[in-house]
Amino acid sequence: MTSRVMLISPAITEALREARFDDGCSLDATGLRLAQTAAGSLPAAERALCSPTVRCRETAAALGLHAEDAMALAALDAGRWRGSTLADVSAKEPESLARWLTDPDAAPHGGESVRAVCDRAGAWLDSLAGEPGRAIAVAEPELVRAAVVRALGAPESAFWRTDVPPLTAVELSGRAERWNVRLGRALG
């Protein structure tokens, strides 16, 4: 039996525009409008899930999904960097940021490492294997990256080489722990 999962990244927010570690901000007016416009473009699904973050919940609602929170899709825990811009962290903690970007086991911010988020995404995918029908999940960009890394069996270093634009879909299909990936379908 083939399982199908469509992962949708949240619409644009002020935090995304500013390259800021998520701090719980809402969609901006453009993001909300684009998500509402894309609402009719989704395929039918047996279940809808979303990250428990504000921007994912708002994106799911704007898309017309009645999604249940899935803690496995929670944002990467950025620890003390939460709310900071990448430029600020780079200026204040350049060595820590460099280590986090190059060592998948590093978590100098006191939060979650890249390996940990990839493992979490992989475990979530494994839990879906063998379930019939399609699941649609609105998930943080880093969770989409991590799911792609695990689905392809790629090393964690591929995490930073995977771009996930706002309001795009990645489709996974698979069975018996073997996933195929269809990347970057724009919604709307």
Side-chain angles (χ1 to χ4, degrees), residues 21-22 75-83 100 109-112:
F21 290 93
D22 183 46
L76 182 145
D77 178 1
R80 71 175 174 276
W81 294 348
R82 183 183 163 119
W100 186 59
H109 45 59
E112 193 171 23

Side-chain angles (χ1 to χ4, degrees), residues 2 6 9 11 16 37-38 45 55 65 69 74 85 91 95 106 112 126 132 135 144-145 151 163 183:
T2 299
M6 176 182 273
S9 58
L16 287 172
T37 300
R55 64 186 179 186
L65 298 172
D69 283 356
T85 65
E95 296 85 15
E112 193 171 23
D126 288 347
V144 177
R145 284 182 185 150
D163 289 332
L183 296 173

Side-chain angles (χ1 to χ4, degrees), residues 32-58:
L32 180 60
R33 181 180 46 77
L34 291 172
Q36 289 169 335
T37 300
S41 67
L42 299 178
E46 283 66 35
R47 57 202 169 281
L49 308 160
C50 76
S51 166
T53 61
V54 172
R55 64 186 179 186
C56 286
R57 286 178 177 154
E58 290 178 352

Side-chain angles (χ1 to χ4, degrees), residues 2-6 47 128 131-136 172-174 179:
T2 299
S3 298
R4 299 188 188 289
V5 181
M6 176 182 273
R47 57 202 169 281
L128 295 177
E131 288 198 20
R134 180 186 313 271
I136 295 178
L172 305 173
S173 60
W179 293 94

